[in-house]
Amino acid sequence: MPQLITSLPTPQTVVDSAPGTCASYRATRVGSVRAPLQKRLTASMTATGFGSAETSLAVTKDGTLFMAPGFSAEGNGVLRSRDHGQTWELLPLRLPDGRSTTREQPYMYMDPLTERLFVHNSVMRFRPPDFRGGYHQFISDDQGDSWRYQCFAHEVRDWSKYCAGPTVHSQTVDYPHALYFSGPSPLSTRFFPVMGPRFQSFRRSLDGGRSWDRVGQISLLPRDVPKISRWEWVIFGNGVVRPDGSVYWIFRRGPQLALAISRDEGSTWQIVEVPNAPLLPFFNILQVGFVNPNYVIGEALTVDAQGNLYLVWPDPEGRLRFCVSRDGGLTFSEPVVISAPDVVNVSFGVATVKEPGVIAIAYYGSFDGKSHHGYVAESRDALSAEPTFTGGIINPVDDPLYPHGFKVGYDQMILGGDLNEIVHVRYAPNGDILASFNKRMRRGAKKKGGWNAAEHANSRLQAVLGRLT
């Protein structure tokens, strides 16, 4: 039976632009600046009570919420809430032999048209060691009550994403549109000179995910990118499909943000660099694991019903940048800073769109260079040259999500710990903005705010839901 845990939200006061409150600010090319309050919003956070890792989020049309992964003594699985995030239950995911699914490289995607859920975990694991390729994939059409299983994509092991949309020329079978899946092979991490990613693999399904065909690939070798160092790193983020069926994937092309564009359903790809969008230069993996997580490009791309593309990314100064392309990647607006004025460092900025020009963003951020909080904000004029955002911190300021600096978890991964490299943000049917974060818990159940790791599958992270109301 699903395990149920109840939690109540912690509201944040709406007063002015001080950290921990909701405020408005205008995005400019040199930084964000305070602006008169545009809309009265309330930021809050609900703790799920379950262990987790890099959290994905999905919201159905009837308001059912899903977060993945969830960890407990019952096993690994998906968290579900049918009461707007006040209580959560764990839906365990089982392999064909009855064992719980793995917890490495979890990811969940919901096709917004059909609400079909896709959840995968890597076959690869560190404890006990197993470096085979492929994913355990689970698919549900009944909001997680039942799942069908397959093991697929054996050429990849980590950092893989889905997107869905109309086809250009192909006929689908018993499903309204095409699904795309992409990941790096043999893995995403660049361990120079021992090993590293060789190519980005693209798969397409025309039957709703029952079968997947490899349709194309892009080299991830620095030597195939003009004018970058051989030490550099090429890594992809997420993808979207425009209304005309063209597929877009955002990625780090060395120290430069870029888009990969396919107009033939993933078979061939055009590379477009985003102007005035430099990224941190990369030299070795220790920078990512112990210095700065912003070498990874996450859920940084979204698209609206008119085909406008919205891009977010961390700039070299640790701020969240933003631009728009209204013509399918031919031209881009001048990048502006959309993180809050007080924020000095962001991690894993993401965006989602409600309608043309109305977007929500979420990210981990710090205003003191040490403690990290969950930030959520909305803009209703995102197509303007200098859009205005309103939002704030979802957690109590005196109780940060990460009190002693943001930790991705690379140092603990090989010992069975969990990574945290994903944030998702979504609109709920009632207009609320929801975002998935993790809170790093203190070991020791008897301590203030303590966490009995043994009761949470030895996870140091708790999945929490941020909300902008």
Side-chain angles (χ1 to χ4, degrees):
M1 293 293 292
Q3 181 180 351
L4 185 66
I5 289 185
T6 304
S7 181
L8 296 176
T10 305
Q12 303 299 299
T13 343
V14 183
V15 253
D16 54 26
S17 55
T21 67
C22 286
S24 295
Y25 55 92
R26 180 168 52 87
T28 78
R29 286 183 292 176
V30 296
S32 58
V33 295
R34 302 186 190 283
L37 189 64
Q38 301 290 303
K39 186 179 180 181
R40 294 190 66 83
L41 298 174
T42 301
S44 62
M45 183 189 82
T46 302
T48 64
F50 288 94
S52 191
E54 35 210 11
T55 51
S56 306
L57 174 66
V59 186
T60 66
K61 295 180 180 67
D62 69 3
T64 302
L65 310 182
F66 297 90
M67 293 179 71
F71 305 141
S72 79
E74 192 177 347
N76 309 325
V78 175
L79 304 179
R80 180 175 66 185
S81 174
R82 297 189 185 275
D83 56 7
H84 309 289
Q86 303 310 306
T87 61
W88 294 86
E89 58 182 335
L90 177 71
L91 309 176
L93 297 177
R94 300 290 181 188
L95 301 177
D97 61 6
R99 292 178 298 140
S100 179
T101 188
T102 57
R103 59 199 272 177
E104 282 79 10
Q105 290 296 297
Y107 192 80
M108 177 178 65
Y109 173 77
M110 187 186 78
D111 184 335
L113 179 62
T114 65
E115 298 192 346
R116 178 169 288 181
L117 282 170
F118 297 83
V119 180
H120 70 235
N121 298 81
S122 179
V123 172
M124 177 188 69
R125 63 174 187 260
F126 287 93
R127 295 185 65 187
D130 185 345
F131 298 110
R132 290 176 297 164
Y135 286 95
H136 302 296
Q137 184 189 66
F138 300 84
I139 302 175
S140 177
D141 288 313
D142 53 13
Q143 296 194 350
D145 288 336
S146 63
W147 301 86
R148 62 179 183 271
Y149 168 85
Q150 65 180 331
C151 187
F152 84 126
H154 298 284
E155 76 277 12
V156 292
R157 291 168 173 79
D158 68 335
W159 205 239
S160 299
K161 310 286 193 301
Y162 302 88
C163 63
T167 61
V168 176
H169 52 76
S170 298
Q171 294 294 318
T172 59
V173 179
D174 299 325
Y175 203 71
H177 54 215
L179 292 161
Y180 296 92
F181 173 91
S182 183
S185 181
L187 76 173
S188 66
T189 308
R190 180 137 163 74
F191 294 104
F192 187 87
V194 180
M195 65 188 310
R198 296 197 300 268
F199 63 88
Q200 186 78 7
S201 177
F202 293 90
R203 287 176 173 257
R204 181 194 62 188
S205 175
L206 298 174
D207 57 9
R210 289 189 292 273
S211 63
W212 296 86
D213 298 317
R214 288 183 62 179
V215 290
Q217 66 182 49
I218 295 174
S219 175
L220 298 176
L221 299 174
R223 70 187 184 202
D224 293 329
V225 180
K227 300 179 182 179
I228 72 168
S229 163
R230 66 189 182 98
W231 300 89
E232 260 294 354
W233 191 18
V234 182
I235 182 171
F236 276 65
N238 71 309
V240 300
V241 182
R242 291 184 81 214
D244 64 0
S246 53
V247 185
Y248 291 74
W249 231 275
I250 195 167
F251 71 110
R252 173 193 174 90
R253 197 176 190 228
Q256 176 68 39
L257 189 71
L259 286 178
I261 306 170
S262 177
R263 295 182 173 85
D264 56 7
E265 300 176 7
S267 296
T268 62
W269 294 87
Q270 172 194 5
I271 306 301
V272 173
E273 290 193 343
V274 181
N276 303 314
L279 304 172
L280 285 167
F282 175 85
F283 299 102
N284 63 69
I285 194 61
L286 296 178
Q287 295 171 276
V288 182
F290 300 97
V291 180
N292 194 320
N294 284 333
Y295 295 92
V296 173
I297 299 297
E299 313 293 297
L301 179 65
T302 190
V303 63
D304 66 27
Q306 295 179 354
N308 298 309
L309 299 166
Y310 305 83
L311 295 74
V312 299
W313 69 95
D315 69 15
E317 288 74 43
R319 302 170 300 181
L320 192 63
R321 289 273 177 177
F322 168 76
C323 74
V324 178
S325 177
R326 299 194 189 197
D327 52 16
L330 297 177
T331 62
F332 298 85
S333 64
E334 188 68 26
V336 293
V337 176
I338 61 169
S339 45
D342 301 285
V343 173
V344 296
N345 184 56
V346 303
S347 298
F348 307 129
V350 295
T352 192
V353 63
K354 181 179 182 182
E355 58 190 61
V358 180
I359 70 166
I361 61 172
Y363 55 92
Y364 291 99
S366 174
F367 56 81
D368 61 6
K370 180 182 176 182
S371 57
H372 280 68
H373 310 268
Y375 285 79
V376 182
E378 182 186 41
S379 173
R380 306 191 69 82
D381 62 349
L383 293 174
S384 66
E386 294 187 342
T388 299
F389 285 81
T390 302
I393 297 174
I394 57 101
N395 54 276
V397 180
D398 61 356
D399 187 17
L401 299 183
Y402 279 80
H404 305 296
F406 187 82
K407 298 182 183 298
V408 175
Y410 276 64
D411 55 337
Q412 299 180 36
M413 178 177 61
I414 60 176
L415 301 177
D418 300 298
L419 293 178
N420 186 17
E421 296 180 295
I422 294 175
V423 174
H424 273 182
V425 61
R426 301 285 184 262
Y427 275 95
N430 66 355
D432 285 2
I433 298 165
L434 308 175
S436 61
F437 293 97
N438 280 316
K439 178 176 172 56
R440 187 168 176 84
M441 306 301 294
R442 297 179 60 192
R443 287 190 183 275
K446 295 182 179 180
K447 298 179 181 179
K448 182 181 179 181
W451 175 259
N452 190 328
E455 294 179 359
H456 298 89
N458 292 317
S459 176
R460 290 289 302 275
L461 304 173
Q462 179 179 192
V464 299
L465 180 74
R467 186 188 305 268
L468 201 60
T469 305

